[in-house]
Amino acid sequence: MVKSTFTAVFLWCVWATSAYLAYETDQGIHEYPKANVLERKTRQQPPENGTVVEDDHDYYTTKGLTGQDSLQYWFDLSKLYQQGDTNVEYSSLVNRSRTVRFIQLPFEFPYYGHILQYIGVATNGFLNTGTLIHSLLHEFQYVAPLLANFEPSITNTSAIFIYNSTERYTVQWHEVLNVDHGSAGPFTFQVSLFPNGEIHFVYDKVPLPLAQLNTTNHPVRVGISDAFFEVYLELNGLLYGRIEEYHTVEIPFSSVDDNVAIIITPLKNCISAQTCLECSEVSKTTSFDCGWCPVLMRCSDGLDRHRQEWINRDCHEEADLSACISTTVSTTSASFTSGQIGGVTVGIIVLILLLLAVIAVALIFVYGYKRPSSRVGVFMIENRNVLSRIKSSSKSSTSYDVKKEALVEEDV
């Protein structure tokens, strides 16, 4: 596999109203506002010649398996559906064209360090991981086992199955045809998401080399992508924004064939760090140049979905990892100082306690003297007699007898 490092930039007017793509919710089918593309850099096509091998990227590692090694990863939803597995859904998307259905995930899914709770299942062989509603869903923020011009609604044998459990979330495009290559035969493939952030692309039937697929009417992509949205200017009273794809993992077309599994495993990145010290550790052990923003209590390199907030709160200027180091040093210094002055502090506390004890005893004696019938007064009288006996006795001070005398109760 060959790593691609390009960045694609998209600009659109937020208020564009025309549409060509639809999305489905519980309230029905809705049209996406069509993106008014003002500028776009040409996307680099992935290489046509590649091998299914292990590859390290910044955010993920990819590993491919072929033949018998890949079969253990095929999770046949068609078979499970026929067996009556209640976790498998036969999706109504099969009757739709260029439609995305947003579904709540059964678990929190970490994607580029961000936690996703919803995912968009598209008829065209991909999942949308974004939160913005517009027509360029297939251009960025996707998990695409095979994004192409598929139309499941044109045949009765096509199906889209969805498996939903707390252990995995799997979507299978079953026997779907490519509109531009209907005679080539149906495609069957699937994608699985796991709670630890791992992603599996598994292919059962790929009747045509992907390099031969027509891209005139619809792009062809295999891989994952993420992007951020940033408002950058105000023009003629309308607010404009920019979508920038900050990272993508593209799988070579030649790697995709029958009985192939591609395992995509997440790596540590800035946004996944939850504390200042974790942020510092990620920056030291990875290729990311992380910074800790104390205002947001967030670790980032400025290139993630929270970029707008990162800029607005001046984190791009104030983020620093030296705060993580100084926190550790100051804690150690404080402990060392406490050790030095601990004896002095304890001495002061003891003196204060002794002084309070003396004052308390004095007050008790005054109270007993004024109220001889009280318990304190009785105690003082008893001890007065004891003292007088001590003076007249020849015995040791440790061997005297104490005798209680009758007292006459006085009115107070």
Side-chain angles (χ1 to χ4, degrees), residues 62-214:
T62 56
K63 181 175 68 174
L65 301 100
T66 61
Q68 292 295 321
D69 293 336
S70 70
L71 297 182
Q72 61 178 313
Y73 294 96
W74 178 251
F75 193 62
D76 195 346
L77 298 191
S78 174
K79 183 177 180 180
L80 291 177
Y81 180 75
Q82 293 174 1
Q83 294 173 349
D85 193 318
T86 56
N87 289 324
V88 182
E89 172 194 351
Y90 182 90
S91 177
S92 60
L93 285 171
V94 71
N95 301 316
R96 289 309 199 179
S97 174
R98 296 197 180 185
T99 301
V100 178
R101 176 186 174 190
F102 285 93
I103 303 173
Q104 185 172 6
L105 292 169
F107 48 81
E108 293 184 339
F109 177 66
Y111 185 67
Y112 280 92
H114 302 280
I115 300 300
L116 303 185
Q117 296 180 329
Y118 288 85
I119 205 80
V121 180
T123 55
N124 298 77
F126 71 98
L127 305 179
N128 178 257
T129 61
T131 56
L132 298 174
I133 296 178
H134 52 81
S135 60
L136 292 178
L137 293 178
H138 58 284
E139 298 287 359
F140 57 89
Q141 291 186 316
Y142 58 74
V143 174
L146 182 48
L147 187 156
N149 196 15
F150 293 115
E151 287 285 0
S153 62
I154 62 178
T155 68
N156 294 328
T157 57
S158 297
I160 297 178
F161 296 106
I162 300 175
Y163 183 90
N164 196 329
S165 78
T166 56
E167 297 179 354
R168 67 187 297 158
Y169 185 85
T170 302
V171 179
Q172 179 174 317
W173 290 264
H174 183 77
E175 301 284 339
V176 293
L177 293 179
N178 188 294
V179 176
D180 301 314
H181 306 278
S183 60
F187 291 71
T188 299
F189 56 94
Q190 63 182 212
V191 58
S192 295
L193 310 180
F194 296 89
N196 64 353
E198 196 167 273
I199 303 170
H200 294 178
F201 294 166
V202 191
Y203 306 89
D204 182 45
K205 295 180 182 179
V206 182
L208 192 68
L210 300 193
Q212 298 181 20
L213 295 180
N214 190 339

Side-chain angles (χ1 to χ4, degrees), residues 11-320:
L11 303 177
W12 84 93
C13 174
V14 177
W15 289 270
T17 57
S18 58
Y20 82 98
L21 191 67
Y23 66 98
E24 179 181 350
T25 66
D26 295 336
Q27 287 72 42
I29 304 296
H30 312 274
E31 290 185 337
Y32 275 111
K34 184 175 181 180
N36 181 20
V37 181
L38 303 180
E39 177 185 348
R40 176 186 173 188
K41 294 181 180 179
T42 303
R43 173 185 288 272
Q44 297 177 0
Q45 291 296 327
E48 296 182 1
N49 56 343
T51 57
V52 185
V53 295
E54 190 167 352
D55 192 9
D56 291 332
H57 302 268
D58 292 331
Y59 292 86
Y60 291 87
T61 61
T62 56
K63 181 175 68 174
L65 301 100
T66 61
Q68 292 295 321
D69 293 336
S70 70
L71 297 182
Q72 61 178 313
Y73 294 96
W74 178 251
F75 193 62
D76 195 346
L77 298 191
S78 174
K79 183 177 180 180
L80 291 177
Y81 180 75
Q82 293 174 1
Q83 294 173 349
D85 193 318
T86 56
N87 289 324
V88 182
E89 172 194 351
Y90 182 90
S91 177
S92 60
L93 285 171
V94 71
N95 301 316
R96 289 309 199 179
S97 174
R98 296 197 180 185
T99 301
V100 178
R101 176 186 174 190
F102 285 93
I103 303 173
Q104 185 172 6
L105 292 169
F107 48 81
E108 293 184 339
F109 177 66
Y111 185 67
Y112 280 92
H114 302 280
I115 300 300
L116 303 185
Q117 296 180 329
Y118 288 85
I119 205 80
V121 180
T123 55
N124 298 77
F126 71 98
L127 305 179
N128 178 257
T129 61
T131 56
L132 298 174
I133 296 178
H134 52 81
S135 60
L136 292 178
L137 293 178
H138 58 284
E139 298 287 359
F140 57 89
Q141 291 186 316
Y142 58 74
V143 174
L146 182 48
L147 187 156
N149 196 15
F150 293 115
E151 287 285 0
S153 62
I154 62 178
T155 68
N156 294 328
T157 57
S158 297
I160 297 178
F161 296 106
I162 300 175
Y163 183 90
N164 196 329
S165 78
T166 56
E167 297 179 354
R168 67 187 297 158
Y169 185 85
T170 302
V171 179
Q172 179 174 317
W173 290 264
H174 183 77
E175 301 284 339
V176 293
L177 293 179
N178 188 294
V179 176
D180 301 314
H181 306 278
S183 60
F187 291 71
T188 299
F189 56 94
Q190 63 182 212
V191 58
S192 295
L193 310 180
F194 296 89
N196 64 353
E198 196 167 273
I199 303 170
H200 294 178
F201 294 166
V202 191
Y203 306 89
D204 182 45
K205 295 180 182 179
V206 182
L208 192 68
L210 300 193
Q212 298 181 20
L213 295 180
N214 190 339
T215 59
T216 303
N217 299 318
H218 197 285
V220 177
R221 297 194 179 103
V222 179
I224 64 175
S225 162
D226 201 26
F228 60 80
F229 170 72
E230 185 178 15
V231 176
Y232 76 105
L233 59 80
E234 187 173 337
L235 183 63
N236 297 328
L238 297 178
L239 190 64
Y240 283 74
R242 176 181 70 162
I243 298 177
E244 181 168 345
E245 184 183 58
Y246 64 87
H247 189 265
T248 182
V249 176
E250 294 192 334
I251 308 300
F253 287 170
S254 60
S255 300
V256 178
D257 204 345
D258 295 351
N259 300 325
V260 168
I262 298 174
I263 313 303
I264 305 174
T265 306
L267 299 172
K268 289 184 178 180
N269 59 49
C270 300
I271 201 67
S272 63
Q274 300 299 311
T275 66
C276 191
L277 289 177
E278 287 182 15
C279 187
S280 178
E281 185 65 21
V282 171
S283 189
K284 291 177 182 178
T285 58
T286 68
S287 60
F288 295 103
D289 184 18
C290 305
W292 179 260
C293 183
V295 177
L296 297 177
M297 298 295 288
R298 181 182 299 155
C299 181
S300 176
D301 61 352
L303 293 177
D304 56 56
R305 296 188 176 198
H306 302 306
R307 177 175 173 80
Q308 184 73 61
E309 186 180 20
W310 187 264
I311 298 298
N312 291 346
R313 303 299 291 272
D314 295 326
C315 292
H316 60 298
E317 296 179 351
E318 299 179 2
D320 190 9

